[in-house]
Amino acid sequence: NSRIALITGGTKGIGYEVAHHLAQKGIEVLIASRDEIKGEQVAEQLASENLSVTYIQIDVTNQATIDLAVTEVANAYGRLDILINNSTLYLKEPRPSDLPSEMIRQNFEVNFFGAIAVTNAFLPLLRQSSSARIVNISSALGSLDFHKKNRDSHFHCAYSASKASLDMFTLQLARDLQGTKIKVNGCTSDLATIELYYDHDHGHGMDAAIRSIVHLATLVDDAPTGKIFGLNFGEHK
C-alpha cells in the first residue's frame, strides 16, 4: 500500500536527493534515467540502505521508452501516485544573436517536450491514484522578472525559454485537471544555478530545493494546485 513515486533524471543532483528523501518517508521510488548502468548502480546503492528504490529506464526524448515504462508501472502497481519531472538539459550557450537553432531544439526536447510526453503518458495511471501529485522542476531562469532584475547575468536564452514554457504547461495542466484528485505544481530555486554550480552553493540552496520538492510531492488534499514555488515557497512569477 506504499505510495509510488517516479522521478525522471533521478540518478544525480536534486533528483537523487529527492529520491532518497521520499524513500526515507516509506514511499516506493522509481528512479528513471536513460543510462541503465548508472540507474541500476544508484538504485542498488539506495536499496542497500533498506530503502524501496527501483530503476526504470526512460529517455524523455524517446517515446518508445516512455511507453514501455508506463506498461511496466501499470503491470507492477496499477497506478502512479507521484510524478516528478526532473530531467533537465543545460548547455553552455552563446549570446542570443549567435544561438544555433539546434541548441534551442535540444533544450526544448528535454526540458519541455520531454516533460509533457512523460506526464501525458502517465496520466491514466495518475488518475488511478487516490491523491496524485505532479511536480515539474523549473528554474528561476524561466522567470521574466528574474531577467529584468538581473541584467548583468548570463543570457541562457534557450534554457530559460524552455523552463518558462514548462511553467506555462504546469499552470495550464493544473487548470485542466481541476476537480480531479491530481495536483500539479512547479518548484524552482531562487538560486537559479543551484544544481549547475553546486560547488559554489555549499549545499544550502540544494537543501532548500529538496525540501520544497518533497513537500510538493506529498501535499495534503486541501493544498493548492497550479503554483510555481521558489525557495521558502515564495511564489515564482
Side-chain angles (χ1 to χ4, degrees):
N1 294 323
S2 297
R3 290 175 63 75
I4 312 300
L6 187 148
I7 306 174
T8 64
T11 60
K12 62 181 180 180
I14 287 177
Y16 171 84
E17 296 296 340
V18 169
H20 197 182
H21 280 65
L22 289 177
Q24 287 179 324
K25 288 179 172 289
I27 295 170
E28 187 157 351
V29 178
L30 307 177
I31 288 183
S33 79
R34 63 180 180 178
D35 187 336
E36 184 174 2
I37 294 176
K38 178 67 172 177
E40 292 285 5
Q41 289 175 342
V42 169
E44 289 175 8
Q45 177 184 337
L46 292 174
S48 70
E49 301 178 31
N50 293 319
L51 300 176
S52 185
V53 178
T54 306
Y55 167 70
I56 186 167
Q57 187 174 38
I58 293 180
D59 178 348
V60 300
T61 67
N62 184 327
Q63 188 65 46
T65 69
I66 298 171
D67 293 340
L68 181 58
V70 170
T71 299
E72 292 178 7
V73 175
N75 290 339
Y77 307 104
R79 73 181 196 283
L80 183 64
D81 301 299
I82 299 167
L83 172 62
I84 301 176
N85 286 307
N86 175 65
S87 287
T88 297
L89 177 69
Y90 177 88
L91 303 171
K92 184 177 180 180
E93 297 183 31
R95 300 170 68 89
S97 54
D98 297 321
L99 187 61
S101 297
E102 181 58 30
M103 185 172 285
I104 299 173
R105 292 189 182 96
Q106 287 177 307
N107 274 270
F108 270 80
E109 281 295 333
V110 176
N111 302 341
F112 180 57
F113 296 123
I116 292 178
V118 171
T119 301
N120 287 344
F122 277 97
L123 263 178
L125 290 179
L126 289 161
R127 291 182 186 275
Q128 296 303 311
S129 171
S130 60
S131 57
R133 306 291 179 256
I134 298 173
V135 184
N136 293 327
I137 309 306
S138 185
S139 168
L141 288 173
S143 164
L144 297 181
D145 283 350
F146 176 87
H147 289 279
K148 289 176 183 177
K149 295 173 182 176
N150 295 272
R151 296 182 181 275
D152 294 331
S153 67
H154 297 292
F155 289 105
H156 308 296
C157 182
Y159 176 84
S160 301
S162 68
K163 289 299 186 177
S165 297
L166 180 63
D167 288 348
M168 180 59 72
F169 174 64
T170 300
L171 300 181
Q172 297 240 354
L173 182 64
R175 182 182 301 173
D176 184 21
L177 297 176
Q178 277 185 341
T180 74
K181 296 178 180 179
I182 304 174
K183 293 187 182 297
V184 187
N185 290 291
C187 186
T188 181
S189 169
D190 295 325
L191 304 175
T193 53
I194 148 183
E195 188 174 4
L196 310 173
Y197 302 108
Y198 177 68
D199 289 341
H200 301 287
D201 176 55
H202 304 296
H204 301 305
M206 176 73 86
D207 290 342
I210 292 164
R211 288 195 302 271
S212 299
I213 295 166
V214 170
H215 179 77
L216 290 176
T218 56
L219 284 176
V220 296
D221 289 341
D222 60 352
T225 187
K227 303 288 186 181
I228 312 294
F229 294 100
L231 284 181
N232 303 317
F233 291 95
E235 197 162 351
H236 167 66
K237 298 178 180 180

